[in-house]
Amino acid sequence: MTTARPGGHAALVQDLHERGLLDGTWRRVWGAVPREPFIPARAWRQDDDGCTLLGSPAERHALVHADEPVVIQLDDGAEDGPGIATSSNSRPSMVARMLGLLRVEDGSRVLEIGTASGYVAALLSERLGGERVFSIELDPALAAHAETALHTAGYRPNLRCGDGERGWPEAAPFDRLLATCALRHVPRAYVDQVRPGGLIVAPLAREFWSGALVRLAVRGDGTATGRFHGGASYMPMRSHRVAGGEPVDSRTARGRRTGLGPAAVLHLGFALWGGTRLPGVRLWHSEGPAGVQVWAQHPDGSAATAVAGDVWEYGPRALWAEIERTHRDYAGLGSPAAEAFGLTVRPEGGDLWLHEPGNVLAAVPEAAGRPRSAGEVVR
């Protein structure tokens, strides 16, 4: 079921404005750039259990004018795949948030990583002029679609089909850089290609603290630092994906009760803190008839799942007990919100910090990280 209001594109823009996500300038820009022309003929709705092909014009119209993502590619474009979403036209409110954080100014030169449908490049081109917008897309089919859609709409930003992790060095320096795919780390090339005083806005995704939106200010010493600004769920950059790992041995299951409700660990502030205390632990969740269910897993074979006050732990460690202790420590700090945490990117890596850059909690390595689990913990 979609959340579109009557009135189509104009109503969507009005809704974003009323929610404080569009100032007057961006409201004019959004009003001039409808979303629908950038959605391919084949598109899908993202459901809890997979992706559903939009089967009728009415269904398509409702989703395109709703504050919801529209999936535009499955399985990297391969036929007869498992049906995993690999590219989308993002939720409009998330796009508006990120563009607001980008703080573009008249004359800004912007590099976008991940052209996808071309819609964000169109918004930036309407705001700044196409000659100041640079956008990179890895997938040739998506790049071709975006170019056609942009040119048909009258926009001619600078487009490239290539590896977005490398940026666009010969066009640098840029005033702003926007990543519209999730990153495991901020590539060094991004800091190098944004001028001192410029901004980088990107969604980051690591094991415990996936889906965190960060804005970094580039400094003259070759570093970039800034705070987190809430959650952001984006599909990962292809080179930042992680492979499947080993399933958990369910024969080692130990059950007990817990006083820590699963929903309590899903706050982004705790996720950022927990990732510093439980390195390598991956956390994910789902919602079902019994409520929120959380899974946690470590490469050493330890795992845990919790739902409705019941916990099952697996492998050599009591992983949920470690999460309980970590949550108590977090509460002892006053349960800081995500915006209290920040990131500094340096040539040799990065640091996650709390309250101020000098209060470093943990290093954030640039390596792609460990493989994810291919199996689920089974009750």
Side-chain angles (χ1 to χ4, degrees):
M1 182 176 179
T2 62
T3 57
R5 301 196 312 186
H9 176 69
L12 174 61
V13 174
Q14 178 66 19
D15 176 60
L16 297 175
H17 176 66
E18 290 174 353
R19 291 160 62 185
L21 295 171
L22 300 178
D23 62 16
T25 299
W26 278 117
R27 183 183 184 183
R28 179 196 63 77
V29 168
W30 280 69
V33 188
R35 188 186 190 195
E36 200 281 333
F38 295 88
I39 306 301
R42 292 189 73 202
W44 297 260
R45 182 181 63 251
Q46 180 77 65
D47 297 320
D48 292 339
D49 56 352
C51 296
T52 302
L53 183 67
L54 299 178
S56 70
E59 206 176 5
R60 178 187 177 90
H61 182 273
L63 185 61
V64 167
H65 296 107
D67 187 22
E68 298 182 27
V70 180
V71 175
I72 63 172
Q73 186 194 67
L74 302 181
D75 306 313
D76 295 331
E79 296 294 331
D80 302 320
I84 297 172
T86 50
S87 186
S88 71
N89 184 285
S90 301
R91 184 185 300 272
S93 58
M94 179 58 65
V95 175
R97 277 183 57 206
M98 293 181 74
L99 289 175
L101 287 170
L102 203 61
R103 293 182 177 175
V104 297
E105 301 170 348
D106 293 347
S108 292
R109 299 176 77 250
V110 179
L111 174 61
E112 179 197 14
I113 308 299
T115 316
S117 70
Y119 185 56
V120 175
L123 291 168
L124 288 167
S125 296
E126 177 69 25
R127 172 67 178 85
L128 300 168
E131 69 278 6
R132 296 183 180 88
V133 178
F134 298 75
S135 187
I136 303 174
E137 172 57 52
L138 179 66
D139 188 281
L142 290 175
H145 163 80
E147 182 176 29
T148 298
L150 283 159
H151 289 181
T152 300
Y155 300 110
R156 293 190 174 270
N158 302 278
L159 301 174
R160 166 175 286 184
C161 183
D163 184 0
E165 187 172 24
R166 299 176 182 175
W168 200 324
E170 60 269 36
F174 301 98
D175 301 295
R176 303 288 187 267
L177 186 148
L178 175 68
T180 58
C181 51
L183 308 175
R184 295 278 297 164
H185 64 271
V186 177
R188 183 69 217 163
Y190 295 0
V191 179
D192 292 340
Q193 293 174 31
V194 174
R195 64 166 178 81
L199 298 176
I200 297 170
V201 173
L204 301 182
R206 297 189 69 84
E207 288 88 352
F208 207 91
W209 47 279
S210 61
L213 187 62
V214 70
R215 179 174 65 194
L216 305 173
V218 177
R219 304 190 293 196
D221 62 358
T223 66
T225 191
R227 294 184 181 275
F228 290 94
H229 292 267
S233 180
Y234 274 81
M235 296 170 196
M237 176 180 283
R238 289 191 189 179
S239 59
H240 286 214
R241 292 175 183 171
V242 285
E246 295 298 322
V248 170
D249 184 357
S250 61
R251 295 172 299 178
T252 63
R254 293 97 59 190
R256 64 178 178 87
R257 296 288 292 174
T258 179
L260 179 63
V265 307
L266 299 181
H267 295 286
L268 184 58
F270 173 66
L272 290 163
W273 169 259
T276 71
R277 296 297 180 264
L278 299 166
V281 174
R282 180 188 171 221
L283 192 78
W284 70 104
H285 76 283
S286 68
E287 296 190 28
V292 175
Q293 183 165 5
V294 171
W295 290 268
Q297 188 174 346
H298 188 271
D300 67 4
S302 299
T305 184
V307 61
D310 291 318
V311 170
W312 290 265
E313 293 173 304
Y314 306 77
R317 292 161 55 184
L319 199 54
W320 193 259
E322 294 182 29
I323 292 173
E324 289 170 328
R325 288 193 295 272
T326 301
H327 193 272
R328 285 195 297 271
D329 293 342
Y330 172 71
L333 293 171
S335 301
E339 290 73 17
F341 294 84
L343 179 71
T344 296
V345 178
R346 297 173 285 99
E348 62 272 23
D351 294 325
L352 186 74
W353 45 264
L354 177 61
H355 298 310
E356 58 185 35
N359 186 25
V360 175
L361 299 176
V364 179
E366 291 198 5
R370 68 170 184 83
R372 291 185 188 177
S373 168
E376 287 188 352
V377 178
V378 180
R379 280 182 56 176

